[in-house]
Amino acid sequence: MGYVDEVLERVRTKNAAEPEFLQAVEEFMESVRPVIDANEDLYRKEAILERITEPDRQIKFRVAWVDDNGQAQVNTGYRVQFNNAIGPYKGGLRLHPSVYIGIIKFLGFEQIFKNSLTGLPIGGGKGGSDFDPKGKSDREVMAFCQAFMTELSKYIGADIDVPAGDIGTGAREIGYLFGQYKRIKNLYEGVLTGKGLTYGGSLARTEATGYGVLYLTEELLKCNGKDIAGKTIAVSGSGNVAIYAIQKAQQLGAKPVTCSDSTGWIYDPEGIDVALLKEVKEVNRARLTEYAAKRPSAEYHEGKGVWSVKVDIALPCATQNELLIDDAKALVANGVQAVVEGANMPTSLDATKYLQDAGVLFVPGKASNAGGVATSALEMSQNSERLSWTFEEVDSRLKGIMVNIYHNIDDAAKRYGKEGDYVAGANIAGFEKVCEAMIAQGIN
Ligand code: NDP
Ligand code: 2IT
């Protein structure tokens, strides 16, 4: 058996109860197979694949807090510090009831290669908890965040590990987490990103992931002889990534006609009203039914369905495995030209293959949603020099990074005879830098 298959078998056996982690590893292994096969003896001797699929450490802890009824509640907290070959661990904190170690490991693993693709010095990590912020009062969220950080603070630091937002963790949560870190450590440092603008945050970080998805999409289309202007787009999700993807798509002359949340979805043939969506989701923290009630042109549907709409481009921006094989078939039947991931691993492996085989331009999240973490790294730079840059400066760097990522993944795919396979290109380009750094630093 070849080295790749040997390690894949071992990873499957060892992590059998973590399907999302295995899915991420399987995609990665298939992509880097030609790189490994070209120099199998070296990589085997270095145990590079065993080392890169085994986190540096996994921290798991109890988070006890008191709810508004005076009742003590207990959640589980996680931080997986996956790989710091090219920089301090960096990656978000997910607060969602579905969180368990397999979710955090898949996200941390993806983060290694994503962070490498940004070209900035950041390693891969991820954390979170099975805490559900939905329906909790601000005081309950604060109590949870303070308890969570009380333990997490032992393991992180501006030069060690720098967490940020993800599903369920936005500006409010980052504020409470930062306040508690500062109180415990008596240290004012850039230990988190996505901070508020009054205490070390960067302009354009809020917009960065969604904007970045569109900057990459624009370059992808341009280099494939197409234009984003005039395109109709299906977006899923209605959180941080989705909102700013919709906003930038409109600025580029495209028309996003859908969005969704965990209970239903909106079809708005006149184009999503971003100001209204922001009011419903960012200010009122309400359901999309409220959007439909205030927007005569919008239809609200219960359940899933955004991929059934006829569009030119699909941008999954909600969560993992939200675009499955039947969705891919529906999109292709409706003539979709590009699928660009805003979320992490939103497309299942069989759906990805179906789209690629049908000639759809497909870009994986580790490349297309890297604008968020890239701008987090820019926030770290600003914190280190104790300065803050203008919105225009950060935004123009973000755009440059996304254009660069597109060309790097395109080149990597071509170098291995896989032109147009951006999944292979992203994994290969992300892996090459981390691999070289790991080998240079010896066995550890
Ligand atoms: P938010 O919490 O702001 O929004 C998440 C959105 O997805 C909400 O609309 C939510 O609906 C929906 N959603 C979440 N889980 C599910 C689910 N299980 N089923 C259906 N819908 C769901 O998160 P973000 O926008 O920050 O993150 C979205 C995706 O983008 C995630 O995959 C994240 O890892 C990824 N990402 C985020 C980055 C960032 O900078 N924030 C950077 C790179 C990637 P509801 O409100 O009903 O829960
Ligand atoms: O998945 C991701 O890249 C994020 N949630 C952002 C991580 C970060 O450190 O900004």
Side-chain angles (χ1 to χ4, degrees):
M1 203 188 283
Y3 176 48
V4 171
D5 291 310
E6 243 172 61
V7 179
L8 205 41
E9 267 314 301
R10 207 170 307 163
V11 173
R12 283 196 187 109
T13 310
K14 235 179 146 170
N15 305 277
E18 298 167 7
E20 298 85 3
F21 177 57
L22 292 181
Q23 184 180 337
V25 172
E26 277 169 24
E27 181 210 276
F28 165 80
M29 292 285 200
E30 286 314 318
S31 291
V32 301
R33 194 183 281 281
V35 182
I36 300 293
D37 286 352
N39 209 345
E40 186 172 307
D41 290 348
L42 168 75
Y43 294 122
R44 189 194 289 274
K45 185 150 181 276
E46 288 278 340
I48 201 78
L49 295 177
E50 291 90 330
R51 288 198 282 145
I52 213 160
T53 52
E54 184 78 37
D56 289 356
R57 63 191 66 77
Q58 300 176 195
I59 301 147
K60 182 177 177 187
F61 51 94
R62 180 178 66 245
V63 186
W65 55 282
V66 178
D67 72 16
D68 286 347
N69 298 320
Q71 173 65 50
Q73 298 287 345
V74 178
N75 290 101
T76 307
Y78 302 91
R79 186 72 182 167
V80 172
Q81 298 180 331
F82 221 119
N83 185 297
N84 66 353
I86 65 170
Y89 306 106
K90 181 88 197 83
L93 296 171
R94 177 172 294 192
L95 300 182
H96 194 273
S98 62
V99 165
Y100 76 106
I101 191 65
I103 294 281
I104 302 299
K105 276 172 67 184
F106 115 66
L107 290 163
F109 185 70
E110 293 281 286
Q111 203 82 44
I112 303 171
F113 310 105
K114 180 195 306 195
N115 293 3
S116 168
L117 287 171
T118 66
L120 300 167
I122 39 178
K126 200 84 186 190
S129 174
D130 57 359
F131 174 77
D132 186 359
K134 269 202 203 95
K136 303 287 192 299
S137 68
D138 283 353
R139 196 211 59 82
E140 288 174 323
V141 170
M142 180 169 75
F144 168 83
C145 288
Q146 291 179 340
F148 182 83
M149 182 54 88
T150 300
E151 184 63 23
L152 184 69
S153 64
K154 297 170 185 166
Y155 310 103
I156 63 177
D159 295 313
I160 302 170
D161 182 355
V162 182
D166 194 79
I167 290 178
T169 306
R172 174 182 60 173
E173 290 74 21
I174 293 291
Y176 295 147
L177 291 164
F178 184 76
Q180 183 72 353
Y181 180 85
K182 196 189 62 174
R183 179 157 69 150
I184 291 174
K185 300 279 234 191
N186 195 25
L187 195 58
Y188 206 107
E189 61 169 1
V191 67
L192 292 163
T193 59
K195 299 186 292 301
L197 297 177
T198 51
Y199 60 95
S202 173
L203 285 161
R205 174 62 188 90
T206 305
E207 295 83 355
T209 310
Y211 278 21
V213 171
L214 268 295
Y215 292 144
L216 188 135
T217 304
E218 186 185 26
E219 189 69 9
L220 167 79
L221 294 181
K222 195 177 93 188
C223 294
N224 282 279
K226 301 174 199 282
D227 188 354
I228 189 155
K231 295 285 187 290
T232 304
I233 303 185
V235 175
S236 64
S238 52
N240 175 264
V241 180
I243 288 173
Y244 294 96
I246 290 170
Q247 185 171 78
K248 183 52 73 177
Q250 291 176 343
Q251 289 171 7
L252 296 175
K255 187 158 93 167
V257 292
T258 70
C259 62
S260 66
D261 65 16
S262 50
T263 52
W265 61 285
I266 293 285
Y267 174 55
D268 192 340
E270 293 194 1
I272 298 293
D273 178 341
V274 182
L276 177 58
L277 186 61
K278 285 169 91 164
E279 182 192 310
V280 171
K281 284 293 171 182
E282 291 185 340
V283 183
N284 301 343
R285 298 180 189 274
R287 312 309 312 164
L288 284 172
T289 42
E290 186 174 317
Y291 176 96
K294 291 184 174 167
R295 177 89 170 158
S297 59
E299 294 169 14
Y300 175 80
H301 301 268
E302 286 287 323
K304 298 185 173 198
V306 292
W307 314 128
S308 64
V309 175
K310 181 173 168 51
V311 289
D312 304 309
I313 298 170
L315 305 176
C317 297
T319 192
Q320 65 279 351
N321 291 325
E322 53 155 325
L323 198 166
L324 306 178
I325 185 72
D326 289 342
D327 303 315
K329 287 180 181 169
L331 285 167
V332 169
N334 279 328
V336 77
Q337 297 169 38
V339 175
V340 181
E341 295 185 331
N344 286 307
M345 209 170 74
T347 315
S348 62
L349 292 176
D350 55 347
T352 301
K353 185 163 187 326
Y354 187 88
L355 292 166
Q356 289 181 318
D357 289 349
V360 176
L361 302 172
F362 180 89
V363 183
K366 60 170 70 76
S368 40
N369 72 32
V373 75
T375 306
S376 279
L378 301 179
E379 182 173 328
M380 290 166 71
S381 299
Q382 294 169 74
N383 292 165
S384 294
E385 62 175 18
R386 298 183 193 282
L387 292 171
S388 33
W389 307 340
T390 63
F391 187 96
E392 290 69 28
E393 164 135 33
V394 179
D395 188 43
S396 88
R397 286 188 190 232
L398 166 64
K399 186 166 185 185
I401 289 167
M402 298 313 296
V403 167
N404 204 24
I405 289 176
Y406 171 73
H407 289 286
N408 282 343
I409 68 173
D410 185 45
D411 288 348
K414 285 177 180 155
R415 274 192 279 122
Y416 284 89
K418 293 180 174 254
E419 181 163 1
D421 182 347
Y422 303 112
V423 175
N427 283 310
I428 291 169
F431 171 67
E432 283 176 332
K433 179 178 176 186
V434 175
C435 178
E436 192 179 324
M438 285 173 71
I439 291 175
Q441 293 172 33
I443 304 296
N444 59 69

